[in-house]
Amino acid sequence: MNYDTYGSTAVELAIDLANADLGDPQWVQAFLGSHTEWFTDGTDLGLSAADSGRVGETSSLVREVALAGSDPEVMQRLNALLALASPKPYATDHDGELHLHYARPDADAVEQLTTTVAMGLSQVVVQHGWQRLGVCSADGCGNVYVDTSRNASRRYCSNTCASRSTVAAYRARQRA
Ligand SMILES: [Zn+2]
Ligand SMILES: [Zn+2]
């Protein structure tokens, strides 16, 4: 499975947002600062407390979609996320490749972020199935991931968590 088939890599932004450390009081600024490429040049990334709260809500909704375990659950949570979006798609080649943007280029940072995340995530769910979204099985991790493996067999958010869990399982077997 290739991100090209999504027509968008916006799902990566959604996953990053769901995995942000919401316990850090500066998390919204840190998150925006490390994802500036997703915003139109000149977008004001200095958010009010209320706007930061809205970004937190979007983060939680993405996580809830990944945790959902049935069609009705996924639909209800996805629609809650989509209700926050204001899509106004347009085609662009600003980075040299023709692709779609989902939010108005002059929308504020929250609208750009929420819209891109909601549209990117829904496309993956609709085209590839919600089973492609998961939560890492490694002890104490809890990161959300999108499974792009051929046979949808992924259980961990990263190679780090996969090998950490393999080592832990091996040690547990040796103790037994
Ligand atoms: Zn772009
Ligand atoms: Zn993990």
Side-chain angles (χ1 to χ4, degrees), residues 75-171:
M75 266 189 291
Q76 188 253 323
R77 295 172 190 190
L78 208 51
N79 283 333
L81 182 61
L82 284 165
L84 303 176
S86 309
K88 180 77 175 70
Y90 66 97
T92 173
D93 66 351
H94 69 93
D95 61 357
E97 266 194 63
L98 189 61
H99 61 285
L100 286 179
H101 277 196
Y102 300 115
R104 289 182 294 128
D106 55 347
D108 65 27
V110 176
E111 184 176 324
Q112 286 185 52
L113 178 66
T114 307
T115 303
T116 305
V117 161
M119 297 302 290
L121 191 69
S122 344
Q123 285 212 318
V124 168
V125 169
V126 168
Q127 291 174 19
H128 302 282
W130 52 265
Q131 295 86 349
R132 286 281 174 179
L133 299 173
V135 177
C136 184
S137 307
D139 271 350
C141 178
N143 273 352
V144 169
Y145 61 81
V146 54
D147 184 351
T148 53
S149 66
R150 186 186 294 270
N151 52 0
S153 58
R154 190 163 157 184
R155 293 175 53 217
Y156 301 104
C157 71
S158 61
N159 288 335
T160 311
C161 276
S163 51
R164 195 159 59 80
S165 301
T166 309
V167 171
Y170 174 75
R171 294 210 177 113

Side-chain angles (χ1 to χ4, degrees), residues 31-100:
F31 178 81
L32 296 179
S34 56
H35 293 85
T36 51
E37 75 276 15
W38 289 94
F39 299 89
T40 314
D41 281 349
T43 303
D44 182 4
L45 297 179
L47 300 194
S48 66
D51 281 347
S52 294
R54 291 165 65 202
V55 175
E57 268 174 49
T58 302
S59 167
S60 306
L61 279 170
V62 174
R63 175 167 291 275
E64 283 178 29
V65 172
L67 284 166
S70 66
D71 274 4
E73 246 174 36
V74 169
M75 266 189 291
Q76 188 253 323
R77 295 172 190 190
L78 208 51
N79 283 333
L81 182 61
L82 284 165
L84 303 176
S86 309
K88 180 77 175 70
Y90 66 97
T92 173
D93 66 351
H94 69 93
D95 61 357
E97 266 194 63
L98 189 61
H99 61 285
L100 286 179

